[in-house]
Amino acid sequence: MEATQALKLIKGRRSIRRFTDKEISKEALTDLVEAAVWAPSGSNAQAWEFVILGKKDKELMNRMVAFLPGVSEAPAAMIWLCLDRAKEKAKAGKLGLDVMGVMDISMAAQNIMLMAHAMGLGSCVIGSFNESVTRIALKLPEHVTPELLLILGYPAEEGFGPPRPPVQQNMHWREFGAKDI
Amino acid sequence: MNEKRACDVLAYAAASAREMYVDPSVYASHRLLATMERFLGFLEEEQYNDPFFSELRKSINDNILLVMTDPEKFGDFLSEVVEKVAHKSFEYA
């Protein structure tokens, strides 16, 4: 892939919250998780776990949506990105538990969203959810925490992209505030 | 409204009450609008005929994400919603 194609893919991904009824195949969902696990991982902990809800789980997703902001109906699929805190602690210590594990999850989520976009799927990342509700619904063991939710499906809406300021606005050369080399 | 839908309203209100405790305060407004939108959706399922409800729901759907992109317009929209509901409410006076 050329750099311009990569940038086009990155810029083309938008948050999609409404989807058609078309299902996502098990193979496609597996490809998305394959993309996720190739994200960087602090201390190579790879302490992520992915709980996937698909076409057979519509009613469970509807029950979860009842508690979720920003989602009005069950999507075609959900991927819950979770952190195995016992594994993270063993491999990456306190820094892993406090910071790196969640960063790993975030980078894995971005991989999934870009892969989904390349596959013609829409996605939206949701970080505001109730942990207790999620634990009950997904039967998570105590050492596994839900960190992010991705909702996925074939887009039924155009995503909108809030404009970005010129990139130079947030760039600093060598020292903070210096706008040129 | 059936018991399942009543439970849905309770679910969203309960989860919102918990998350609003830690979310940025403007998201309290967002969540209350979302609660209205869901409630209006359930009314549509019950086939309420008054177009006010469907128009209000569409209006919320069209504008709720202003919370992320244009807080000033979002504030204006909140005022607009109150006015719309007030006009409707006083029809029953």
Side-chain angles (χ1 to χ4, degrees):
Chain A
M1 179 187 284
E2 292 181 12
T4 51
Q5 289 176 298
L7 189 57
K8 186 178 176 188
L9 182 75
I10 291 165
K11 287 184 172 181
R13 183 213 58 80
R14 305 262 51 98
S15 292
I16 303 294
R17 295 175 178 82
R18 290 194 173 80
F19 308 102
T20 69
D21 292 334
K22 187 176 175 183
E23 294 169 350
I24 305 175
S25 69
K26 187 176 177 184
E27 292 73 24
L29 289 167
T30 304
D31 286 345
L32 293 174
V33 177
E34 173 78 8
V37 300
W38 283 94
S41 174
S43 302
N44 193 30
Q46 298 184 44
W48 40 48
E49 300 289 343
F50 305 88
V51 182
I52 297 148
L53 304 183
K55 58 187 174 186
K56 292 180 181 170
D57 310 305
K58 209 71 173 175
E59 193 44 43
L60 179 60
M61 286 195 282
N62 271 322
R63 292 298 89 220
M64 298 188 87
V65 162
F67 292 88
L68 283 174
V71 191
S72 55
E73 58 189 1
M78 289 180 171
I79 299 179
W80 286 90
L81 293 92
C82 304
L83 184 67
D84 181 332
R85 295 181 67 80
K87 187 174 180 183
E88 183 69 30
K89 185 180 180 185
K91 291 210 169 188
K94 186 175 185 304
L95 181 63
L97 277 183
D98 289 350
V99 181
M100 296 308 298
V102 173
M103 288 188 175
D104 292 354
I105 293 286
S106 304
M107 292 187 280
Q110 178 73 348
N111 274 15
I112 292 176
M113 290 188 285
L114 289 177
M115 182 73 174
H117 181 47
M119 293 163 67
L121 292 163
S123 66
C124 184
V125 63
I126 296 171
S128 181
F129 53 80
N130 187 280
E131 182 178 329
S132 301
V133 172
T134 309
R135 285 189 171 283
I136 292 166
L138 303 181
K139 298 183 169 63
L140 297 177
E142 197 172 332
H143 66 283
V144 174
T145 51
E147 302 292 346
L148 280 178
L149 163 64
L150 292 177
I151 57 171
L152 297 144
Y154 289 90
E157 64 176 5
E158 292 272 330
F160 77 100
R164 267 47 171 179
V167 67
Q168 290 80 5
Q169 185 174 312
N170 304 102
M171 292 176 70
H172 312 271
W173 296 97
R174 195 173 65 83
E175 63 184 39
F176 197 90
K179 291 300 177 186
D180 207 349
I181 296 175
Chain B
M1 185 185 299
N2 63 38
E3 289 176 2
K4 182 178 173 184
R5 287 313 191 198
C7 196
D8 284 348
V9 173
L10 293 174
Y12 195 72
S16 295
R18 177 63 188 89
E19 303 311 318
M20 279 154 57
Y21 189 67
V22 292
D23 276 355
S25 59
V26 70
Y27 279 89
S29 302
H30 174 274
R31 281 180 177 269
L32 284 170
L33 275 186
T35 304
M36 289 175 65
E37 192 276 335
R38 287 174 188 227
F39 183 72
L40 290 163
F42 301 152
L43 291 185
E44 275 184 21
E45 289 177 357
E46 304 284 331
Q47 297 181 321
Y48 277 58
N49 290 325
D50 191 332
F52 169 79
F53 296 116
S54 55
E55 286 167 12
L56 181 61
R57 186 183 185 206
K58 182 179 184 311
S59 171
I60 292 173
N61 272 325
D62 289 346
N63 291 283
I64 194 167
L65 292 181
L66 286 171
V67 68
M68 288 192 281
T69 57
D70 194 332
E72 195 172 332
K73 276 189 185 170
F74 183 67
D76 293 343
F77 177 65
L78 293 173
S79 301
E80 187 183 315
V81 168
V82 174
E83 287 168 18
K84 280 180 181 175
V85 175
H87 282 300
K88 183 66 186 174
S89 181
F90 286 110
E91 285 179 14
Y92 298 105

